[in-house]
Amino acid sequence: MVREITAADFDGLMTLYMQLHDNPFPEKDERVMSVWESIISDPCHHIIVAEEDGRIVSTCVCVIIPNLTRGQRPYAFIENVVTDSAYRGRGLASACLDLAREIAQRENCYKMMLLTGSKEESTLRFYERAGYNKNDKTAFIQWL
């Protein structure tokens, strides 16, 4: 099942995020839970998950960003795409990205952007098959 996250999904999401850049499971302190509450209460911040066997096994984030150009149409930014290693190759990440596209279309976005740090050809081909291209824009990152 592919759906948007609920407040009760924190542990499942954070367990999956442990496979993204080797993130540790965070302590549920006031700061972390404040960030969580801010995310789930923000109507422009969508965390999409695929659930199998009662577990969150794939996810992506879709943030809708208001915009003053392009006829004041917003754009969508996709981040934190990850699938549990035991569930890869089943189309779950594609299903999450499809729901992100539906949300972006519903919100009248004029484009979706996705950045990846991966250099793996299979990952890059996956994003191209999902409809993203690497030729229209050049991304620059400044780490803070």
Side-chain angles (χ1 to χ4, degrees), residues 12-23 47-51 55-61 78-89 91-97 114-116 123 126-127:
L13 180 68
M14 296 314 296
T15 298
L16 179 59
Y17 277 174
M18 291 171 66
Q19 294 186 39
L20 185 65
H21 310 298
D22 296 317
N23 285 311
I47 300 178
I48 299 157
V49 296
E51 187 176 32
R55 294 180 52 216
I56 293 174
V57 296
S58 187
T59 187
C60 73
V61 171
I78 306 301
E79 184 63 88
N80 295 338
V81 180
V82 62
T83 300
D84 185 298
S85 59
Y87 290 83
R88 292 182 185 152
L92 298 169
S94 293
C96 288
L97 290 173
L114 179 150
L115 298 175
T116 181
T123 302
F126 165 75
Y127 289 131

Side-chain angles (χ1 to χ4, degrees), residues 78-124:
I78 306 301
E79 184 63 88
N80 295 338
V81 180
V82 62
T83 300
D84 185 298
S85 59
Y87 290 83
R88 292 182 185 152
R90 299 183 188 187
L92 298 169
S94 293
C96 288
L97 290 173
D98 288 347
L99 182 52
R101 184 183 320 105
E102 289 175 24
I103 291 168
Q105 289 171 329
R106 179 184 74 218
E107 296 296 327
N108 197 32
C109 292
Y110 77 94
K111 71 176 176 182
M112 295 176 69
M113 295 186 298
L114 179 150
L115 298 175
T116 181
S118 177
K119 306 295 184 223
E120 295 289 326
E121 279 301 315
S122 61
T123 302
L124 302 178

